[in-house]
Amino acid sequence: MCYRGVRVEQIKEIRSVGSHITRLATRNSRLTTASRGRLPSKLLVHDDNTTMTRKSKQPGGHNPLTYAETKRLKSSGYGTQSTRLTSQSMLPFGHCCLSLSQIEGDAVATPSGHIYSRETIVQYLLTKNRELKEQKAEYDRKRLQVENRRAEWEEKQQKKSQQSFRSKDQGAISNALVLKDGGGGGQEAKTENSLSHVSYWLSSSQPDASAAGDGFDYEKEIMALPSPPPGRPPSPMSGEPLKLKQLIPIHLVYEQDEGISNNGGRVLCSVSQKRITTQETIAIKSSGQVMLASVFNELAKPTMTCPVTGKKFKDKDVIKLIKGKSGFAASGNVEAKKYNPTLT
């Protein structure tokens, strides 16, 4: 088969040779560009049948910032900032979780296992109770205003319904009298009423402001109020409701060094006299003794008797205290992160 004197087989062969030449030229141009440093080596085409992906050709398919620019911007607050926390940033065991200082007086523990100074946590509870009372009074005042508006609206609606009933009753009597007398006022009223429905631009067709704006949505008004304050102040660390009688007095044994009491705030196990740093620690509610969990499981748990005071205790009297932390990763999360929003 021929087309203008050229066979179809020859045409196909010419086209295949041309496409092969085009691929070779494209490959050579990319290699030349990469050798000049304009194209990363990962975008090179090593096969004649391999082309650039569609993602790399789209806007945003590559990072608009180089590594040096990203590193320079991170030092000035770009993106997520992270830092490694050291031991100086961690709260040692035996320090007050509220004042972040060494406990000088009586120490207490909460049901969540956090340790506080009695003076500090009592002052916190008194302050929070006073604030909650003020918030409760403000909430009750706003709630009373909503209830008063609801009562006024219900009374107004009742009066309006009574007045509407009276007007309808009197209107029926007057219409009956007019029809009996043979007057034509009813036809005029009917015509005016029909025009008010069709001609919405007339003043008589506009909605009544007193009737439309007098609505009262009780549920919407209640939802607009702020949430009622809790009945009890929350715990500073766990956020659970906390009462004064829930504070558990504990006895902390400090390491003695050259006659100095509370030397550096280093707490010792009341049984083994080992220093408590990041180990799991147990407090017995009935006796107030603080000991390592390993010592508790070995000496106290089998007999359910306190090794120091000899008092019996139950399972509900055992409180697992929050461990102390250090700069080592084994003690817990030692990295702090903060994200700064950016425009990129």
Side-chain angles (χ1 to χ4, degrees):
M1 182 177 180
C2 298
Y3 177 75
R4 294 186 179 180
V6 182
R7 293 184 177 181
V8 176
E9 292 79 3
Q10 295 177 352
I11 296 175
K12 291 182 179 180
E13 184 178 357
I14 294 173
R15 288 179 178 177
S16 62
V17 172
S19 61
H20 182 67
I21 294 174
T22 304
R23 287 198 299 268
L24 290 177
T26 304
R27 179 185 177 185
N28 293 333
S29 63
R30 289 176 181 174
L31 290 174
T32 304
T33 306
S35 63
R36 296 177 182 177
R38 300 178 183 177
L39 190 66
S41 59
K42 63 181 181 179
L43 295 181
L44 294 179
V45 179
H46 301 286
D47 191 3
D48 294 342
N49 298 326
T50 305
T51 58
M52 296 178 64
T53 60
R54 184 180 181 184
K55 179 64 178 176
S56 61
K57 299 180 182 180
Q58 293 178 350
H62 64 284
N63 189 6
L65 301 177
T66 63
Y67 174 77
E69 292 172 343
T70 304
K71 187 176 180 180
R72 185 165 59 252
L73 288 175
K74 275 187 175 294
S75 61
S76 61
Y78 168 83
T80 302
Q81 303 293 318
S82 61
T83 182
R84 178 68 179 265
L85 301 177
T86 60
S87 298
Q88 287 76 13
S89 303
M90 299 297 183
L91 185 67
F93 182 82
H95 282 54
C96 178
C97 294
L98 196 58
S99 63
L100 306 180
S101 60
Q102 182 181 345
I103 299 176
E104 299 293 341
D106 298 336
V108 294
T110 58
S112 60
H114 294 89
I115 300 176
Y116 301 93
S117 172
R118 179 180 289 276
E119 180 182 1
T120 305
I121 191 64
V122 168
Q123 183 65 30
Y124 166 81
L125 291 176
L126 293 176
T127 304
K128 284 297 181 180
N129 280 323
R130 183 168 58 251
E131 293 178 358
L132 289 178
K133 287 182 180 179
E134 296 175 357
Q135 296 175 7
K136 185 67 166 54
E138 180 67 17
Y139 176 79
D140 292 341
R141 184 184 63 83
K142 294 182 179 180
R143 182 66 181 265
L144 183 60
Q145 292 179 356
V146 175
E147 296 294 342
N148 292 337
R149 290 201 299 269
R150 181 185 182 184
E152 293 177 359
W153 179 78
E154 290 179 351
E155 184 179 358
K156 186 182 297 185
Q157 290 296 114
Q158 186 177 4
K159 291 181 179 179
K160 185 182 295 185
S161 60
Q162 293 177 358
Q163 184 177 1
S164 176
F165 177 76
R166 294 195 188 104
S167 61
K168 288 181 180 180
D169 191 14
Q170 294 176 0
I173 297 175
S174 60
N175 289 336
L177 294 175
V178 169
L179 292 175
K180 185 177 180 180
D181 295 339
Q187 185 67 23
E188 296 178 359
K190 183 177 181 181
T191 304
E192 182 180 358
N193 191 17
S194 62
L195 286 176
S196 64
H197 284 288
V198 177
S199 305
Y200 55 87
W201 56 85
L202 298 178
S203 59
S204 58
S205 303
Q206 303 304 318
D208 190 3
S210 60
D214 198 20
F216 181 81
D217 192 350
Y218 179 73
E219 295 183 358
K220 186 176 181 180
E221 292 286 340
I222 293 297
M223 292 296 293
L225 291 176
S227 57
R232 301 174 186 173
S235 175
M237 300 301 294
S238 64
E240 298 295 331
L242 182 64
K243 295 190 295 185
L244 187 61
K245 65 179 182 180
Q246 291 180 328
L247 300 179
I248 304 164
I250 58 176
H251 178 63
L252 297 179
V253 179
Y254 291 94
E255 184 178 8
Q256 301 294 329
D257 188 8
E258 298 180 359
I260 302 176
S261 62
N262 299 0
N263 183 25
R266 291 173 289 190
V267 182
L268 302 178
C269 175
S270 59
V271 180
S272 64
Q273 299 300 313
K274 292 182 180 180
R275 182 182 298 179
I276 301 176
T277 54
T278 59
Q279 308 96 317
E280 293 186 0
T281 311
I282 297 296
I284 301 177
K285 183 177 179 181
S286 58
S287 61
Q289 299 299 322
V290 178
M291 62 191 73
L292 295 173
S294 58
V295 176
F296 171 80
N297 294 330
E298 183 179 356
L299 301 177
K301 190 173 182 180
T303 59
M304 300 300 288
T305 305
C306 179
V308 180
T309 61
K311 294 182 178 179
K312 293 286 186 178
F313 63 88
K314 299 180 181 180
D315 291 336
K316 64 179 181 180
D317 296 332
V318 180
I319 303 173
K320 186 177 180 181
L321 301 179
I322 301 298
K323 298 189 302 181
K325 293 184 178 181
S326 65
F328 296 97
S331 64
N333 186 18
V334 293
E335 188 178 13
K337 293 184 179 181
K338 180 182 178 182
Y339 174 72
N340 296 324
T342 58
L343 298 177
T344 56

